[in-house]
Amino acid sequence: MLTEHQDLKMEFPGLTKRMDQLLAEQGHFAKLYAEFNSLTAEIEHIERNDAATGSQSLEEMKKKRLLLKDEIYSLLTAG
């Protein structure tokens, strides 16, 4: 089961300037951003190779990615 690639700049097109600003200025944001991208790449690799599709581990990874996305969005829209 292949899902659409999740790219944060495509997900939040109106917030790309803010995203670039936070990436340059805030280490915590940059860490979350990198972790999201790494997790996305790992999920996509598993799905492409049909390894563990539908497994508990893959579902947990997707949940973690969603939590990261929520936290990133909160930082983007704060203040």
Side-chain angles (χ1 to χ4, degrees):
M1 175 176 81
L2 201 56
T3 59
E4 186 176 325
H5 174 70
Q6 290 194 26
D7 178 276
L8 290 170
K9 291 189 176 186
M10 291 178 70
E11 293 277 331
F12 308 127
L15 297 170
T16 56
K17 287 182 183 180
R18 175 77 172 140
M19 200 175 302
D20 289 339
Q21 177 189 14
L22 290 177
L23 282 168
E25 298 172 359
Q26 216 181 80
H28 176 66
F29 182 85
K31 179 181 173 279
L32 293 173
Y33 186 87
E35 188 176 351
F36 178 90
N37 287 328
S38 176
L39 197 52
T40 295
E42 192 174 347
I43 289 167
E44 290 174 352
H45 174 77
I46 290 170
E47 289 179 337
R48 262 193 314 275
N49 295 304
D50 282 332
T53 300
S55 75
Q56 186 69 23
S57 175
L58 183 60
E59 292 307 312
E60 291 301 317
M61 291 169 66
K62 288 180 177 182
K63 288 177 186 177
K64 182 176 181 180
R65 180 175 62 179
L66 185 58
L67 290 173
L68 285 168
K69 187 176 177 179
D70 287 346
E71 187 174 354
I72 287 168
Y73 182 78
S74 292
L75 291 170
L76 288 169
T77 57

